[in-house]
Amino acid sequence: MSTLTEITPEILAKYQPVIGLEVHVQLLTASKAFCGCVNQYGGEPNTHVCPTCLGLPGALPVLNRQAVEFAVLAAKAIHCEIRETSVFSRKNYFYPDSPKGYQISQFDKPIAEHGWIDVPDAEGKPKRIGVTRLHMEEDAGKSVHDGFADSVSRTYIDLNRCGTPLVEIVSEPDLRSPDEVFEYLTRLKEILLYTGVSDCNMEEGSLRCDANVSVMLKGAKEFGTKAEVKNVNSFRYIRAAVQYEIERQVGVLEDGGRVVQESRLWNNAEGRTFSMRSKEQAHDYRYFPEPDLPPLVVGAQWQVEILKSLPELPEARRARMIAEYGISAQDAATLTATREFADRFEKAAKKVAANPPAGNQSLATLARTAKSPKRLAAIMLTEVTPRLRVAGLDWKHSPVTTLGLVLAADLAESGDLSSKMLKQLLDICFEKNEDFPAVYEREKPQQISDASAIEKMIDEVIAANPKQVEQYRGGKKTVSAFFVGQVMRLSKGHANPALLNELVVKKLDS
Ligand SMILES: [Zn+2]
């Protein structure tokens, strides 16, 4: 690999990388794909097994209806067409953690094809990446190579994962850079999480990705020979592995060699890929239609039923939230990062805009004066989220509930609560694990809303700062903020901000 140091940006720029991705996604069904065993990560080894997923002679598979519904949902969410009649096939190969000697998969008639996902390109413009197909299959068990006293000489087999329902999502070779790979995977995961068909937990192997990478001289008509980088367990590592692989292949070609078709493994500690096995000859899996399963028919009516549970997807939701709540694109992106977070925001935002719950006097008063989803977004993103992070909590365990968020946003928006006081109250919520309304009622700062008291303080500040008064009266109106700050300090943060603002300008203008 001595050539790598010589790969300059100029040399790299002569080549066009071409990348396609194969993503395996475990479905969150209650039971496995073809038997009644529980579909659950972990567990005592070889306890989630039965004659069917162990591949014992005579045991017959029965297709899990929920797995089909999840596959259809995932496929529709990435704009695939559903094939009404798809066929399961046997993919024959021997591997110790696959006791049947074959995998039930789909081959020439997958359940879905011709989809796409939009990703931002280098300039941030949307670029459409084709999805060739989405097909259903089953997962294999696991070979356990370490953790036992005799692991040096033995490998153990855990078949709990055997028969877990999967979808494999194969992209077109439309990706052109490691960054596009990263974006594609990020979007795909976000979409799948929204549909709820998988938890996409990469550490537990719920989402796994292989990348097919090749390079060709720019302007060439034919793709170069591809190498497959297998089973990298984070998007960042995949981006690094693809970058490494591009440079490695360019190095081979620049040295006058040729790229070998093979599978390679990423070693994160060393930051490089290693040859795993040659793929000089395409595998002969001897596919044939699975004789123990009839063709799968997902008719129009069933499709309609399934699609009733397809939620609004992230891209559409962002656009709608920007329009509906007047929030920034940046805030919308953060708020829609997960469906749960977006739901939480919208639940609170609708409360801000709608009638307050009966009997809550402070809410009843405030809802008339303040309706700012924008303020709510700011409080969620810049006040509560960082406090949750520091406390090591997620939103589910936040001491500040939806109602608390609404009250905080309303008080801040109406000016009844200065940002300093808001921060103090939120700190107390987290210290004492109490919701905002309770803390507010108890610790409610003695806010000074008496105009004459505030005017007295303004007079004091004006008298002490003749230079700034001169600047203001000379036309530099922004200096009023200085006076507001000074009076706020004098009042120890208790002056009513809205009233204070109004009075400062009045005094300075008089
Ligand atoms: Zn089973």
Side-chain angles (χ1 to χ4, degrees):
M1 217 50 57
S2 59
T3 53
L4 272 182
T5 50
E6 298 148 27
I7 303 296
T8 61
E10 290 73 33
I11 293 176
L12 265 183
K14 286 167 36 189
Y15 290 88
Q16 176 61 67
V18 175
I19 308 140
L21 296 176
E22 293 169 12
V23 177
H24 285 88
V25 182
Q26 289 182 343
L27 301 176
L28 268 182
T29 54
S31 56
K32 290 186 179 180
F34 302 110
C35 62
C37 290
V38 65
N39 173 26
Q40 199 176 67
Y41 177 78
E44 274 297 299
N46 301 306
T47 53
H48 306 162
V49 291
C50 72
T52 299
C53 56
L54 287 174
L56 299 185
L60 290 172
V62 177
L63 178 58
N64 182 334
R65 185 182 180 90
Q66 194 180 31
V68 176
E69 295 177 346
F70 281 0
V72 169
L73 272 183
K76 277 306 212 182
I78 52 174
H79 312 102
C80 284
E81 294 162 17
I82 305 298
R83 182 192 299 273
E84 196 171 298
T85 303
S86 62
V87 172
F88 284 98
S89 292
R90 283 191 186 180
K91 182 179 181 180
N92 295 282
Y93 61 93
F94 174 76
Y95 211 73
D97 54 22
S98 176
K100 287 203 296 283
Y102 61 87
Q103 177 191 29
I104 301 179
S105 182
Q106 293 186 315
F107 180 51
D108 53 346
K109 295 192 175 68
I111 190 164
E113 289 172 296
H114 312 305
W116 49 264
I117 295 173
D118 280 343
V119 304
D121 66 7
E123 278 101 50
K125 286 198 230 87
K127 174 181 170 181
R128 189 150 292 185
I129 306 299
V131 171
T132 316
R133 57 189 275 153
L134 176 149
H135 66 254
M136 300 181 68
E137 58 184 32
E138 58 177 339
D139 213 341
K142 271 185 197 165
S143 297
V144 186
H145 300 291
D146 43 39
F148 293 93
D150 53 357
S151 280
V152 177
S153 55
R154 283 169 200 269
T155 289
Y156 287 77
I157 303 288
D158 177 7
L159 296 173
N160 281 353
R161 196 177 72 175
C162 215
T164 296
L166 296 176
V167 288
E168 180 175 341
I169 298 164
V170 183
S171 86
E172 291 289 311
D174 288 346
L175 297 152
R176 293 290 175 268
S177 71
D179 284 338
E180 286 183 8
V181 168
F182 185 85
E183 290 293 340
Y184 172 91
L185 291 170
T186 304
R187 307 280 142 158
L188 175 60
K189 180 179 167 185
E190 189 182 67
I191 292 168
L192 291 171
L193 284 175
Y194 263 64
T195 61
V197 303
S198 175
D199 62 15
C200 297
N201 184 330
M202 295 190 79
E203 272 157 32
E204 294 180 357
S206 310
L207 189 152
R208 313 196 287 269
C209 176
D210 304 334
N212 288 305
V213 182
S214 68
V215 298
M216 60 181 180
L217 280 169
K218 277 186 182 159
K221 291 228 160 44
E222 271 180 47
F223 291 167
T225 306
K226 66 188 178 188
E228 184 185 34
V229 182
K230 293 201 72 88
N231 278 337
V232 194
N233 67 358
S234 99
F235 292 171
R236 267 173 233 288
Y237 295 164
I238 292 168
R239 177 159 59 184
V242 169
Q243 181 66 41
Y244 174 88
E245 193 52 27
I246 290 168
E247 292 180 19
R248 184 189 71 84
Q249 293 184 14
V250 168
V252 168
L253 296 175
E254 284 288 307
D255 277 359
R258 65 184 190 91
V259 174
V260 179
Q261 188 174 341
E262 61 184 349
S263 293
R264 298 180 68 89
L265 281 181
W266 171 247
N267 182 312
N268 195 52
E270 299 188 29
R272 50 175 289 198
T273 60
F274 287 87
S275 181
M276 184 172 109
R277 61 169 181 249
S278 164
K279 266 203 171 177
E280 281 288 7
Q281 281 133 359
H283 283 270
D284 181 2
Y285 291 117
R286 293 176 296 119
Y287 278 101
F288 62 86
E290 166 61 57
D292 292 336
L293 288 169
L296 168 60
V297 180
V298 185
Q301 191 159 359
W302 191 14
Q303 286 185 39
V304 169
E305 280 303 309
I306 296 170
L307 293 181
K308 280 183 187 158
S309 52
L310 185 67
E312 184 181 29
L313 294 169
E315 208 62 54
R317 189 163 193 178
R318 275 192 275 279
R320 180 180 59 74
M321 279 171 49
I322 291 168
E324 197 165 317
Y325 303 113
I327 56 178
S328 70
Q330 179 64 46
D331 284 353
T334 317
L335 289 167
T336 54
T338 67
R339 188 172 156 190
E340 191 211 346
F341 194 36
D343 286 348
R344 194 173 295 274
F345 167 76
E346 290 216 80
K347 204 172 141 205
K350 293 207 164 98
K351 279 220 175 74
V352 170
N355 291 328
N360 187 323
Q361 203 42 52
S362 26
L363 276 177
T365 324
L366 289 160
R368 282 202 298 275
T369 53
K371 295 179 183 178
S372 178
K374 226 166 152 174
R375 177 78 67 174
L376 174 71
I379 289 174
M380 285 180 75
L381 296 175
T382 63
E383 299 296 343
V384 180
T385 300
R387 283 175 174 79
L388 286 170
R389 200 174 302 136
V390 169
L393 294 172
D394 56 23
W395 272 95
K396 249 183 243 140
H397 301 98
S398 169
V400 181
T401 64
T402 302
L403 201 67
L405 289 170
V406 173
L407 180 62
D410 277 352
L411 288 166
E413 182 66 15
S414 64
D416 287 317
L417 206 53
S418 70
S419 65
K420 192 178 160 195
M421 290 192 293
L422 174 69
K423 283 175 200 289
Q424 286 169 353
L425 294 182
L426 287 172
D427 283 341
I428 296 171
C429 292
F430 277 80
E431 270 162 35
K432 307 208 162 164
N433 194 27
E434 275 183 295
D435 200 359
F436 189 83
V439 171
Y440 176 74
E441 279 308 314
R442 193 181 61 236
E443 314 267 341
K444 193 160 37 184
Q446 294 310 310
Q447 197 171 54
I448 306 170
S449 294
D450 171 8
S452 64
I454 295 176
E455 279 177 340
K456 224 174 108 192
M457 287 187 277
I458 296 173
D459 289 339
E460 208 175 303
V461 172
I462 284 181
N465 297 283
K467 220 172 93 191
Q468 281 79 359
V469 176
E470 209 175 294
Q471 282 178 349
Y472 181 89
R473 294 192 174 142
K476 200 172 169 200
K477 299 290 180 196
T478 50
V479 179
S480 68
F482 164 80
F483 289 97
V484 170
Q486 292 295 309
V487 176
M488 193 54 102
R489 190 182 294 175
L490 199 61
S491 74
K492 299 197 165 60
H494 290 174
N496 178 321
L499 188 59
L500 171 59
N501 266 303
E502 187 191 315
L503 293 174
V504 160
V505 172
K506 210 169 100 189
K507 281 270 178 194
L508 288 169
D509 285 340
S510 67

